[in-house]
Amino acid sequence: MRPLSFWSGIVCAMLCGLVDPVWGYAAVAVLSLVQLAMLGGSGGSVFLLIHYTAILTYFSIAPAMQIANDLEFWDAGVMRTESHTLALTLLVLYMAGVEAARLGVPDGPVHHPGRHDKQLVGVAHPLLLLLSCSLAAFASLFIKPELNFVARGIVGVGGEDNVPIDFIFYSTLPKLVVLLCFVALAVHAVRRRTPWSWCAAGLAFALALAAANPVNTARQVLLIGLLPLLIHALGRGRRWLLAGAIFGAIAGLGPMLNLISRGSMWGEELRTFPFSQDFDAMYVVAGILERAPIPDLGWGRYLLSAFSFFLPRDLKMFPDFDPLGWSAILGNFSQSNLSLPPFTTAYFDFGLAGPALFGFAISAGFRAVDRAVDPNRPVSSTYLAALVLLAAYVPFMRGPILGWGPFMVSGLIAAAIAGALSSRARRMPARTLRHGLPGA
């Protein structure tokens, strides 16, 4: 029933988009809601749940209302209807590829409460965990300085604009390391239910609040730092609550924190969802498709350049094949750190087949992640890494915006350290000593 409703919805969305892209994006919103309603069963795919929540948030309601109101972002003017229709087509093809990888295969293993060893105790030495993770985070900044968060503002004599400012204290690695420590210690506290474990989780939560002081990257901190905890707590149970929490974090809390940080620090104004510049992904896609000449197929070079996300532009694998670096793009948009959803970069490489193939590959890969997401599992590095990858999918879909790569890398580093310091104390089976009988 669910596959039938999806493929019927895809056809309707495409037909509506050919008439008017506003209707097409509205149909995608309805399709996402229907799919979310059908993903409520235990053992269903957590990846699909996050996928359709991200589609509903970023790629359906927001672009429909923006197009209907002829909004302008980044001083690039109003896009043509044909450009919005092609952008919608790429999104629909990506969604089709995601679902195609699920045909004929169950979404995930059925959840069996109590299947795992109840003696699993979670994280060992909570204070050691916090200390070692913090040291590793700050050491990484000196080893790889480009992982540090770079903010833009007005500094120096004469009020020069857009001068990069390095914020060591507000850098991505310490933020995510502390947040992932909170995830691990909160899971540990729920499992142990002792005063000591709750105190350790409370200390980590206080540090997380300080680390998440909003500096232009609120959504990434929330999604990759705290979403793993929600996946652990709600991923197999109250699934609608998880979908609502993701939607609220992106559509509500993220822009609100960005408004506070940008307004108080840089004097920028930011309108609320869906007219905020946090929800301009499909508008940017349409602008790139309209204003930049489509080059010869790169056969992977655009994707490889896009995936070297943690490198400065001049150190990318193929800087000449970076769509966001083309002069036609930089000359029409006011900022050079524009986001571009990966399925659009796949289109530059492989034509219309690119988004579908990319969606198929991503969905197939997340099957293994889905199998690792079980709230009854111990706090291991593999389990935490799976949660981080699932959480990173939301900003990944939005596009490799400023800070996405460092946040995901730092989240994985934190998950690996937290898992290495976790213990799986098991009750040793009693050894039965068999005494041999004396020989005759």
Side-chain angles (χ1 to χ4, degrees), residues 85-437:
T85 301
L86 179 55
L88 173 66
T89 301
L90 302 185
L91 172 66
V92 169
L93 289 173
Y94 177 78
M95 295 174 66
V98 168
E99 281 291 340
R102 307 273 165 166
L103 288 176
V105 183
D107 285 333
V110 178
H111 176 49
H112 298 289
R115 182 181 59 178
H116 298 288
D117 189 354
K118 291 300 184 182
Q119 300 302 317
L120 298 175
V121 300
V123 177
H125 312 298
L127 291 180
L128 178 62
L129 172 67
L130 288 173
L131 178 62
S132 60
C133 284
S134 300
L135 291 176
F138 282 101
S140 300
L141 292 179
F142 293 97
I143 297 173
K144 202 171 187 59
E146 60 266 27
L147 289 178
N148 187 43
F149 172 69
V150 177
R152 290 170 304 171
I154 301 176
V155 298
V157 180
E160 187 177 359
D161 292 338
N162 291 330
V163 176
I165 311 170
D166 292 338
F167 283 101
I168 296 296
F169 181 76
Y170 294 125
S171 57
T172 56
L173 276 174
K175 279 185 178 182
L176 265 297
V177 163
V178 173
L179 287 169
L180 259 295
C181 283
F182 169 59
V183 171
L185 293 178
V187 173
H188 168 72
V190 171
R191 187 170 288 131
R192 288 295 298 271
R193 299 182 184 277
T194 62
W196 166 248
S197 64
W198 287 115
C199 288
L203 174 61
F205 179 68
L207 294 175
L209 288 178
N213 193 329
V215 181
N216 206 28
T217 52
R219 285 171 297 128
Q220 284 67 40
V221 174
L222 287 169
L223 295 177
I224 307 180
L226 296 180
L227 187 56
L229 180 60
L230 292 176
I231 294 174
H232 175 85
L234 308 174
R236 298 293 189 187
R238 302 175 180 86
R239 301 170 66 79
W240 269 100
L241 184 57
L242 175 59
I246 298 173
F247 184 91
I250 305 173
L253 190 56
M256 182 186 72
L257 292 178
N258 275 335
L259 176 61
I260 295 173
S261 63
R262 291 179 180 180
S264 61
M265 295 182 181
W266 315 126
E268 296 185 14
E269 294 182 358
L270 201 62
R271 288 178 287 180
T272 57
F273 176 88
F275 303 116
S276 165
Q277 292 174 347
D278 293 307
F279 303 96
D280 62 348
M282 297 309 288
Y283 183 91
V284 173
V285 171
I288 291 177
L289 295 175
E290 175 178 309
R291 299 176 187 275
I294 303 300
D296 295 334
L297 297 182
W299 298 109
R301 289 172 293 186
Y302 296 100
L303 281 175
L304 287 175
S305 182
F307 287 164
S308 55
F309 46 78
F310 57 90
L311 297 175
R313 188 175 302 278
D314 54 350
L315 294 180
K316 283 184 175 290
M317 296 178 185
F318 298 97
D320 294 336
F321 291 88
D322 180 11
L324 298 182
W326 295 341
S327 58
I329 301 302
L330 297 179
N332 283 278
F333 289 87
S334 63
Q335 294 201 22
S336 60
N337 63 327
L338 295 171
S339 58
L340 186 65
F343 59 80
T344 307
T345 309
Y347 167 71
F348 289 129
D349 278 311
F350 307 105
L352 288 176
L357 293 174
F358 187 78
F360 187 93
I362 292 292
S363 183
F366 268 109
R367 283 202 153 277
V369 178
D370 263 333
R371 285 191 284 269
V373 179
D374 188 337
N376 282 344
R377 288 199 175 185
V379 184
S380 64
S381 57
T382 302
Y383 177 69
L384 284 175
L387 294 182
V388 171
L389 287 175
L390 275 174
Y393 175 76
V394 178
F396 175 75
M397 272 286 286
R398 174 66 171 79
I401 60 180
L402 180 68
W404 177 83
F407 270 98
M408 190 196 72
V409 171
S410 58
L412 291 175
I413 292 173
I417 298 175
L421 291 175
S422 66
S423 65
R424 300 180 61 180
R426 300 176 181 274
R427 179 180 300 172
M428 298 298 294
R431 298 178 61 185
T432 303
L433 300 179
R434 300 184 61 183
H435 301 284
L437 296 176

